[in-house]
Amino acid sequence: MPQTPPRVEITEYGNRISKPSVIVAVPDVGLIGTIACSYIVEQLKFEPKGHIDSDLAPQVMLVRDSVPTYPIQIFGKDKMLIVISGVPLRPKFSLELAKEIARWAKERDAKVVVGVSGAPSRKREESHGDGVPTVTGVSNDQVMLKGLKAIGALPLEQGGLTGFYASLMKYCMVNDQANVTLLGESMLQFPDPGAAAAAIGVLSAMVGLKVDTKPLLKESEEVRMKTRELMSQTQAAQQPTVGNPSAYR
Amino acid sequence: MWEDDEDDYPETSMDRFFSRVFAGFEDPLFDIESRSLRPLFRVEVNEEFVVVAMDLPGARKEDIAVTCTEELVSLEAEMKKPVALRVSGAGARATRFERYSKKVRLPVRVVPEKATAKYKNGVIVVKLPILRTGKAIKIADG
């Protein structure tokens, strides 16, 4: 009997933004994407525009001011939508989520899907996070790839994407949806607000944001303290699970 | 044991920034009784060294004490100023933490007398030479 595909449901509310740029952040290396995108949402007062739910999602509801909230939310302003996951993703859900976001973006006639993540850098750890981190970029769109240097990112020549962002790129390619994935040079296993600030700089140039990153850099220590638990959970979620091989599940 | 008054720690824009997405998960990275946080850490073994890195935002070099044996690295560090974090085990109230405390059991034995440590921007990196023991085995013709 064929299995029913896992349900991943994207719900939007309010007025729909047409032909949006869709920016996507999940907890990953250095928490670059989640720090950068949460900061943008707060600074520019993006509004809640939707949420994503799934039977495969972690059984978590976030509570803010006594109001329960889905852990994966969509925020919007002007021509942009930002998807942020506040919880780490296990591999199976991560794959299905990437697939559905790519499909939905294509259906919404998105101008581009932008993944914001980190590239672990031993050099950055050895320098104790000193200096301005490099931001590299990968794109399945040749015009956007050529435009990376102009916005302060270096095209990644050799290397690879892994995890959620790899799946997001793959399914954007399958759906013929333009994708750019930005990778901020990051501390190996610690939250890196400096790298998030560098990624914001490139993202701002790409989609036309005006975001002052000085407060983020100034409060870097506080950001690192407050994201410790999420970083720890993210590392745990990315470990292989113990038990029967998946073929027997 | 200690009931911090929430008015002592008024909500900042950074609190709203995090609360929007990162609600207060139960945090095993702390010890309320000793008011200490357990720092994020990373251990790596290469051919020559065991490298232990720890994330210590808010600590000053002069307030950090690191000791090690052949099998264990211990760190204690006072913070420049206490930090208030909401931890769900304390009824979601802000709890004040004043220090970092961590013991890391090493995967291989090291030479503590030759250990070095560098600290900058809230990150400490400790390098510990691996202890080499054993004797060479002579290989005879078969």
Side-chain angles (χ1 to χ4, degrees):
Chain A
M1 180 182 291
Q3 286 189 328
T4 309
R7 177 188 71 99
V8 176
E9 197 171 346
I10 298 179
T11 302
E12 293 186 73
Y13 8 98
N15 296 328
R16 282 194 159 199
I17 294 173
S18 103
K19 296 190 192 321
S21 294
V22 177
I23 301 162
V24 186
V26 304
D28 197 359
V29 175
L31 300 180
I32 308 276
T34 36
I35 292 174
C37 290
S38 296
Y39 184 76
I40 291 169
V41 163
E42 180 64 29
Q43 288 288 301
L44 299 186
K45 310 270 185 277
F46 274 53
E47 290 182 356
K49 283 294 201 181
H51 65 262
I52 302 179
D53 189 29
S54 171
D55 297 338
L56 293 174
Q59 293 183 57
V60 170
M61 287 295 278
L62 307 181
V63 180
R64 170 65 183 151
D65 294 331
S66 303
V67 177
T69 312
Y70 287 89
I72 304 175
Q73 295 176 277
I74 304 172
F75 300 91
K77 185 175 180 177
D78 299 332
K79 298 288 277 180
M80 274 165 283
L81 291 172
I82 295 184
V83 179
I84 303 178
S85 175
V87 294
L89 309 177
R90 285 275 176 200
K92 191 167 183 183
F93 176 46
S94 168
L95 172 71
E96 297 297 330
L97 179 66
K99 205 187 278 187
E100 180 59 18
I101 289 177
R103 187 207 63 76
W104 165 72
K106 183 65 177 178
E107 182 186 87
R108 295 282 271 102
D109 203 14
K111 189 176 160 193
V112 65
V113 169
V114 184
V116 185
S117 184
S121 166
R122 189 175 304 284
K123 188 181 88 170
R124 183 141 172 89
E125 184 174 277
E126 285 169 359
S127 72
H128 297 251
D130 242 357
V132 178
T134 307
V135 179
T136 48
V138 183
S139 181
N140 61 345
D141 181 290
Q142 288 302 311
V143 171
M144 292 189 185
L145 187 64
K146 285 185 181 138
L148 284 174
K149 271 190 185 163
I151 58 171
L154 296 175
L156 181 68
E157 290 185 10
Q158 307 291 339
L161 298 175
T162 59
F164 170 81
Y165 291 100
S167 296
L168 187 62
M169 175 65 77
K170 179 170 93 174
Y171 288 107
C172 282
M173 291 168 69
V174 165
N175 285 277
D176 195 25
Q177 166 64 54
N179 175 308
V180 174
T181 301
L182 300 175
L183 305 166
E185 185 187 11
S186 168
M187 300 292 277
L188 293 174
Q189 285 181 0
F190 304 148
D192 196 338
I200 289 173
V202 173
L203 190 56
S204 297
M206 183 190 295
V207 298
L209 293 169
K210 286 189 173 59
V211 184
D212 181 7
T213 55
K214 288 196 199 67
L216 176 60
L217 292 169
K218 192 173 165 212
E219 302 296 332
S220 169
E221 283 186 343
E222 185 180 349
V223 171
R224 283 157 63 190
M225 282 192 214
K226 292 188 171 177
T227 53
R228 296 174 337 115
E229 175 62 17
L230 182 62
M231 186 76 257
S232 176
Q233 290 177 350
T234 301
Q235 287 164 14
Q238 289 169 349
Q239 296 300 317
T241 50
V242 176
N244 291 332
S246 57
Y248 297 98
R249 288 191 182 141
Chain B
M1 179 169 76
W2 293 7
E3 290 292 324
D4 292 296
D5 190 334
E6 285 214 345
D7 291 340
D8 290 342
Y9 305 107
E11 189 179 70
T12 64
S13 63
M14 280 291 164
D15 289 312
R16 287 191 296 278
F17 156 37
F18 287 110
S19 295
R20 182 182 290 279
V21 184
F22 315 133
F25 291 100
E26 183 157 352
D27 187 354
L29 300 175
F30 67 89
D31 179 62
I32 288 183
E33 209 169 303
S34 63
R35 296 278 164 147
S36 62
L37 296 177
R38 298 197 189 97
L40 294 174
F41 72 100
R42 193 180 77 79
V43 179
E44 181 184 324
V45 182
N46 59 42
E47 278 191 21
E48 292 182 62
F49 296 99
V50 175
V51 179
V52 178
M54 293 196 204
D55 198 30
L56 304 172
R60 281 185 299 216
K61 185 177 125 183
E62 54 268 29
D63 297 325
I64 300 173
V66 185
T67 57
C68 78
T69 66
E70 286 184 0
E71 296 169 337
L72 192 76
V73 168
S74 302
L75 178 137
E76 302 285 331
E78 296 293 315
M79 294 180 189
K80 285 183 286 203
K81 57 178 183 178
V83 63
L85 295 176
R86 292 180 191 275
V87 292
S88 60
R93 296 172 69 87
T95 301
R96 193 177 74 177
F97 294 95
E98 298 168 348
R99 62 185 60 84
Y100 291 101
S101 177
K102 183 73 188 171
K103 291 188 192 321
V104 178
R105 187 152 296 279
L106 302 173
V108 296
R109 289 164 70 193
V110 299
V111 183
E113 296 79 18
K114 293 188 178 169
T116 58
K118 284 187 187 170
Y119 179 76
K120 192 175 180 185
N121 296 331
V123 176
I124 188 166
V125 179
V126 184
K127 281 175 79 170
L128 306 129
I130 293 174
L131 177 66
R132 301 281 176 204
T133 58
K135 295 180 180 173
I137 300 174
K138 191 173 174 184
I139 304 172
D141 294 328

